[in-house]
Amino acid sequence: MAKAVVPGVQERLRSIVGIKGWEYVVYWKISDDQRFAEWVGCCCVGTSSQGLHHALESDVFSSAPYFEGSTVRCPDLYVSHAVTKTCLMLSEMPTSVPLDQTGSFGQVLLSGQPLWTHYPVSTDPGLGQDKLQTKVYIPTQNGIIELGISSHVVENAALIQYVKSRCGDTWQEFNVRDVTRTSLQSFHIPLRNDKGLLDTNDLLGGSNVSPLDLSSESALSLGYGRDNMQGYQSSLDQQPFKMFYPSHGAAGGTGELVERNLQLNTASEGNQVQWCSSTDSHPWGVPDGPLSEQFSSQVAHTHLSLFGQEKRVPLTGHHSVQEQYEGSGDSSRLEKNLSAFVQNFHEISVPVVPAQTFHAASESPRGSGLSKENSDRDIKHETRAESSDCSEQIDDEDEKGVPRSGRRHLSKNLVAERKRRKKLNDRLYSLRALVPKITKMDRASILGDAIEYVKELQQQVKDLQDELLETKEDDMQANVATIPEENMNPLLLDEEIGVHVGDDGRGSSKLDPLSTPSLDMGERQIEELRQPMQVEVSKMDAHLFTLRIFCEKRPGVFVKLLQALDMLGLDVLHANITTFRGLVLNVFNAEIRDKELMQAEQVKETLLEMTSQSDCRIANLGNGHVVGPQLISFDS
Amino acid sequence: MAKAVVPGVQERLRSIVGIKGWEYVVYWKISDDQRFAEWVGCCCVGTSSQGLHHALESDVFSSAPYFEGSTVRCPDLYVSHAVTKTCLMLSEMPTSVPLDQTGSFGQVLLSGQPLWTHYPVSTDPGLGQDKLQTKVYIPTQNGIIELGISSHVVENAALIQYVKSRCGDTWQEFNVRDVTRTSLQSFHIPLRNDKGLLDTNDLLGGSNVSPLDLSSESALSLGYGRDNMQGYQSSLDQQPFKMFYPSHGAAGGTGELVERNLQLNTASEGNQVQWCSSTDSHPWGVPDGPLSEQFSSQVAHTHLSLFGQEKRVPLTGHHSVQEQYEGSGDSSRLEKNLSAFVQNFHEISVPVVPAQTFHAASESPRGSGLSKENSDRDIKHETRAESSDCSEQIDDEDEKGVPRSGRRHLSKNLVAERKRRKKLNDRLYSLRALVPKITKMDRASILGDAIEYVKELQQQVKDLQDELLETKEDDMQANVATIPEENMNPLLLDEEIGVHVGDDGRGSSKLDPLSTPSLDMGERQIEELRQPMQVEVSKMDAHLFTLRIFCEKRPGVFVKLLQALDMLGLDVLHANITTFRGLVLNVFNAEIRDKELMQAEQVKETLLEMTSQSDCRIANLGNGHVVGPQLISFDS
DNA sequence: ATCGACACGTGAAAC
DNA sequence: TGTTTCACGTGTCGA
């Protein structure tokens, strides 16, 4: 599971612990099924910083995976050192962490943004509760770098960038490609788009980090993880986002407004690096000085590299920055995958820079061959596509006089096709996420595994049903006639509502839960009386809703209800309507017709709104138990 | 569901019935979900051939879908004629036939070969068991042509070809695309590749068929349905299949061995037309004469059209044949979809004909614009791909001197890419075949549905396991008091439909047909299910009715139903609505609002009348057995 | 060099 | 009419 320690990472990150004061570094990679972060390796500080008074609770750890014998050893085997509390903590770490949306890992991977957390170390009584432990999760290309320290360290963008620049491409044995983000996207976590506010007050790190050390080692490069997510999010939403380049001197003189800009502002007074979708141009002003220059040039360069077709920000010659960026990951794939967005971006944006600028910029010597190759490919793409390069576009329209509508149409097609592809991919990865046994990661295998899994499930269901039937037949033979739960409708996730829709409700007790959720309101009764009808919507899964509507029975109320459901795009799968004394209880199971996501609250509100226009008035619930069981007893 | 009768087909096939002695022709189209053959139209012979001693069992048909009133009318409304037994049989036909592998339709569609069946007419005692009825199913582009006659008629390839030539492109409103074959392939039936031995001993038809009539009306064109299947099968297996062209004079002088040949041999002594994957060249020799010439030229031409890039068989000038072929279907899509195979084919085969032949052939005026458009597109594709046209390839190598390896690599890539796509598609369609509930046919929806289905199955398994556990736990305990039969929902037409109303496809043992997508319901059940609307009204007491309405689920059907009930003056007291696979069962308990006396039959008729005005069509519930009041005693 | 896998843009066609 | 879906060929990357 956990691979052998990768020396490259180990060596690269070794300097973080100890020298920079961090106590440990753990690097996780995304598992093959994209569901776990797997422990790859770690660096331990190797010195006893807090003592080891817990070291001999080794019973717990004697069989831990990283302990070869019964003696407690640090998982970081590369440096032989005394066992510290850190070692113990490292050895306590799971080899695999599920990537759910609630966890830090999932958040980090989804957002593409580092997570800098402080939390009290409650496990160690020696440390006060006010003493915070800092943990940092930094997404990299193939996984996550986790840093930990038992002291409070403020956020440190430079450190993050350093780590990123160091740990991007070290896990080549695992091909993450672009599926990571898409599959993670299936966790349905909203991407954090403009919350990536990095506190750069202490830009060069916490107290333990030497500014010199860091600045010498790493030019600040914007991690493309974030860029990637940003681009991804934008292309996901199909919403343009604005990017603005500070038009100060160092970044070049192209101060014109570019339609979509990445706002990255370096303010010396706050040193805040803000990445957002703001629409106004840099409100903080751009100071001069090495730091900001570094920033802006890096932004320019990063942008040039990431959005190579942007061509509006001239190179400032910081090749080292470029190298740094390039070294920070297997960026080619990402760039390639970003090209959809980039081209989309480029098409809509108005060309304002003559073609020479572009050519000069793109053909200017880069620092590395990789970058050149990438840019070359990008250029080739452009030339072939004939749709994303502004100069080409100008040429086209000027020379050939191609009607713009045609281009428009083509570009629309292009965008739509990207969208379609993305949707397909998302679905594919969602499917993959559902299938537990995954042999390979390629599309055909995903489908094949899904097929096998479905067959397996079907067989399983069949077997279970048979078994159940046998059991019940046995029951039936035992005591004369019982069909205990056969009519229970498993499609309904009843526990939330407590209704067995298929149940005829002979047993009066079974009906109590049916009426409880709408009837046991207590204090809320009064304000709910104001509502024209009681609507309760439960979302069973992505597409299945259960609605319970309790109202007065009026002529046409059913028609109106069903019309409302229909207009809501809800397909009624099952309905149970019961009337009693002028009141009516409707229980619907409905499915979203067009597979659009809709929230329960949304449905409820819309339904209320729609039905409130009619004359269906309030159902009085004054006396709790309105629907007596005898009313719904449907048998004779 | 079944569309209005298409006049084109009607007219085209009219001559088959009567003149050629067939008693009826029914044309079916493949349903949107590729799972049913839907009744499109028919031609009835229009004369009483067997008398109509069954005609007055009209109770069964009084509300049959194709009868507008209570009088029995033939579904073939285009020719007013006396009601015959054929009319009755036609009216008895289901509007939709499931395409499972066991049925004739599925076989025919899968194999692409016509099916000529003889079987005894057991339903009519007037006909002896030895008297055979002949039914022929002929696959066409969009469906199946069914011919029927109550006498024994031997196989007749010419008739089949005639029908095919007549019925290819008449259902343009239904977009078959290419999914037909692929989705059918997912039924996992091995395609009959070389068993298509057609007995052409009586080539020009059965005793009733006039040879002159047939030969004058139709140039014999090989139905591309078969071509399609053949090509598909070949590309499916990734195994080349051989095609040999009889190198007699009429087909042109290109007698050289082409690597893959379609062997179609016309032997005068046996008049056997064999379509097979044989590897030896035509062993029977090729006779001269108009018929065989027609065949061979048609083969050449068909091949030229289908495999337009073959270019080895010169045109023989039978443009009429080409037109016939072109008229026989929406071939463009198929050709396009076949192009993968064609190009693959073309690449491996050795070019033996100079480029001029190709250009002359492909640029020679075709019969119709459609064909021209197709060939143009094909040429364009070739030019763009630069890999499939031999002349282009030669040109490339001669002129530009492009290294062959590069081209080779590209073309290999091309082939591999096609293969990959095909694999993906196959998997996708296999997956689709496993998922019972399919909303749309596009890829994204397939995946989405599969995702939903997997979730559902997982939940189902979970529920079943829980339930099983509970049951067993209950078993452990001495179960004290049980409710004997009330859990059997008395409103269900269990034995008739095999569907539990309260169930949505999970849980109880009755759900097996529900959860298995394999359409393993009996024909009779399906027929009943697919009938447009079944209405059953039971009068419980003076004011209380129970209605059971079983119909297809259509948008707005609930609204319409409730409106109808409302307008009938019926107050719904209880409703239970359950959907299943596009069908819906509504059980209402309704009370007469204004206390008027109304009889059950009256309610039923009015309801049928009202709902028949909408698109929910009427059907009679064959046996009007009424739910006994004991089932639905609704008193409290 | 070769092969498999993938994303991309594109034209066509169905909706 | 525009929108959506699809298959196709191509370039690229990594094994």
Side-chain angles (χ1 to χ4, degrees), chain B residues 175 177 330 333 336 373 377 380 409 412-413 416-417 420 423:
Chain B
N175 302 316
R177 294 196 176 191
D330 180 16
R333 194 79 190 197
K336 183 179 172 186
E373 185 186 344
R377 188 181 56 241
K380 266 192 293 182
H409 187 267
K412 285 256 183 141
N413 190 7
E417 180 63 18
R420 175 180 165 269
K423 189 165 84 174

Side-chain angles (χ1 to χ4, degrees), chain B residues 506-519:
Chain B
R506 298 150 170 255
S508 74
S509 62
K510 303 235 173 177
L511 295 175
D512 278 339
L514 259 162
S515 53
T516 52
S518 57
L519 305 174

Side-chain angles (χ1 to χ4, degrees), chain B residues 394-439:
Chain B
I394 291 172
D395 286 352
D396 277 356
E397 289 171 14
D398 286 350
E399 291 176 11
K400 306 178 195 169
V402 173
R404 189 176 181 86
S405 63
R407 281 265 165 261
R408 269 285 166 79
H409 187 267
L410 280 186
S411 61
K412 285 256 183 141
N413 190 7
L414 191 149
V415 175
E417 180 63 18
R418 286 184 197 134
K419 200 167 140 190
R420 175 180 165 269
R421 268 197 294 263
K422 193 187 315 305
K423 189 165 84 174
L424 267 177
N425 275 344
D426 289 347
R427 296 251 168 110
L428 195 64
Y429 297 139
S430 301
L431 183 64
R432 181 184 62 185
L434 286 175
V435 176
K437 183 172 158 134
I438 288 181
T439 56

Side-chain angles (χ1 to χ4, degrees), chain A residues 348-455:
Chain A
I348 305 174
S349 61
V350 184
V352 287
V353 174
Q356 294 91 312
T357 307
F358 157 56
H359 288 299
S362 64
E363 288 170 16
S364 70
R366 300 288 182 91
S368 76
L370 177 60
S371 166
K372 186 144 186 8
E373 187 186 343
N374 289 336
S375 66
D376 282 350
R377 187 182 60 244
D378 286 344
I379 292 168
K380 266 192 290 183
H381 267 215
E382 284 162 11
T383 333
R384 187 160 63 88
E386 290 179 348
S387 61
S388 52
D389 180 19
C390 55
S391 61
E392 289 267 354
Q393 210 160 355
I394 290 173
D395 288 351
D396 278 355
E397 289 174 13
D398 286 350
E399 292 176 9
K400 305 180 195 170
V402 172
R404 191 176 181 83
S405 64
R407 279 264 167 262
R408 273 282 166 80
H409 187 267
L410 280 185
S411 61
K412 283 244 183 152
N413 190 7
L414 190 149
V415 175
E417 180 63 18
R418 286 185 198 132
K419 199 167 138 192
R420 174 179 165 270
R421 266 197 293 264
K422 191 188 311 306
K423 188 166 82 175
L424 267 176
N425 276 344
D426 289 349
R427 296 252 168 107
L428 194 65
Y429 300 139
S430 302
L431 182 64
R432 182 185 60 188
L434 286 176
V435 177
K437 174 127 184 130
I438 287 185
T439 57
K440 270 162 57 186
M441 293 299 282
D442 68 275
R443 307 165 87 91
S445 303
I446 292 171
L447 285 181
D449 294 338
I451 289 168
E452 292 305 310
Y453 185 53
V454 167
K455 286 180 183 170

Side-chain angles (χ1 to χ4, degrees), chain A residues 489-493 496 537-547 570-574 588-593 595-596 598 600, chain B residues 437 452 456 504 506:
Chain A
N489 191 337
L491 235 183
L492 310 175
L493 303 181
E496 192 177 349
V537 179
S538 311
K539 193 170 186 181
M540 299 291 108
D541 61 33
H543 308 298
L544 190 64
F545 286 88
T546 293
L547 300 96
L570 289 172
D571 247 354
V572 172
L573 296 181
H574 187 102
F588 296 103
N589 282 286
E591 186 183 47
I592 305 185
R593 194 179 297 133
K595 302 283 179 193
E596 272 189 30
M598 203 190 286
Chain B
K437 183 172 158 134
E452 292 306 308
E456 197 177 313
D504 287 345
R506 298 150 170 255

Side-chain angles (χ1 to χ4, degrees), chain A residues 444 465 475 482-483 487 504 636, chain B residues 427 444 475 482 486-487 512 633:
Chain A
Q465 283 172 347
D475 275 2
T482 20
I483 308 176
N487 281 338
D504 53 359
S636 65
Chain B
R427 296 251 168 110
D475 278 358
T482 45
E486 277 78 3
N487 277 343
D512 278 339
S633 79

Side-chain angles (χ1 to χ4, degrees), chain B residues 325-543:
Chain B
Y325 165 71
E326 285 156 0
S328 68
D330 180 16
S331 57
S332 62
R333 194 79 190 197
L334 274 167
E335 280 193 25
K336 183 179 172 186
N337 294 323
L338 273 178
S339 69
F341 163 70
V342 170
Q343 295 191 359
N344 187 6
F345 166 20
H346 197 77
E347 282 204 38
I348 304 174
S349 61
V350 184
V352 288
V353 174
Q356 296 92 313
T357 308
F358 158 58
H359 288 300
S362 65
E363 288 169 15
S364 71
R366 299 291 182 89
S368 77
L370 178 60
S371 167
K372 183 140 183 24
E373 185 186 344
N374 290 335
S375 64
D376 281 350
R377 188 181 56 241
D378 285 344
I379 293 168
K380 266 192 293 182
H381 269 212
E382 284 162 11
T383 330
R384 190 157 61 91
E386 292 179 345
S387 62
S388 52
D389 180 18
C390 54
S391 63
E392 288 270 355
Q393 211 160 355
I394 291 172
D395 286 352
D396 277 356
E397 289 171 14
D398 286 350
E399 291 176 11
K400 306 178 195 169
V402 173
R404 189 176 181 86
S405 63
R407 281 265 165 261
R408 269 285 166 79
H409 187 267
L410 280 186
S411 61
K412 285 256 183 141
N413 190 7
L414 191 149
V415 175
E417 180 63 18
R418 286 184 197 134
K419 200 167 140 190
R420 175 180 165 269
R421 268 197 294 263
K422 193 187 315 305
K423 189 165 84 174
L424 267 177
N425 275 344
D426 289 347
R427 296 251 168 110
L428 195 64
Y429 297 139
S430 301
L431 183 64
R432 181 184 62 185
L434 286 175
V435 176
K437 183 172 158 134
I438 288 181
T439 56
K440 270 163 59 189
M441 294 299 284
D442 68 274
R443 307 165 91 89
S445 303
I446 291 171
L447 284 181
D449 294 338
I451 290 169
E452 292 306 308
Y453 184 54
V454 167
K455 285 182 186 169
E456 197 177 313
L457 277 179
Q458 286 173 338
Q459 184 64 39
Q460 193 173 348
V461 166
K462 192 162 162 286
D463 290 345
L464 280 173
Q465 283 170 342
D466 291 348
E467 193 175 351
L468 201 60
L469 200 63
E470 283 182 20
T471 309
K472 286 183 174 170
E473 281 176 356
D474 288 349
D475 278 358
M476 295 302 181
Q477 301 170 358
N479 31 7
V480 191
T482 45
I483 308 156
E485 292 186 72
E486 277 78 3
N487 277 343
M488 294 283 285
N489 194 331
L491 299 179
L492 305 183
L493 305 173
D494 284 332
E495 67 285 352
E496 276 185 34
I497 304 176
V499 176
H500 236 258
V501 173
D503 276 318
D504 287 345
R506 298 150 170 255
S508 74
S509 62
K510 303 235 173 177
L511 295 175
D512 278 339
L514 259 162
S515 53
T516 52
S518 57
L519 305 174
D520 51 358
M521 309 176 116
E523 290 275 332
R524 187 182 63 88
Q525 289 173 352
I526 282 291
E527 283 178 26
E528 287 186 12
L529 285 183
R530 302 301 293 193
Q531 280 189 5
M533 184 177 281
Q534 296 179 352
V535 176
E536 204 172 302
V537 178
S538 310
K539 194 167 186 181
M540 298 292 108
D541 61 30
H543 306 299

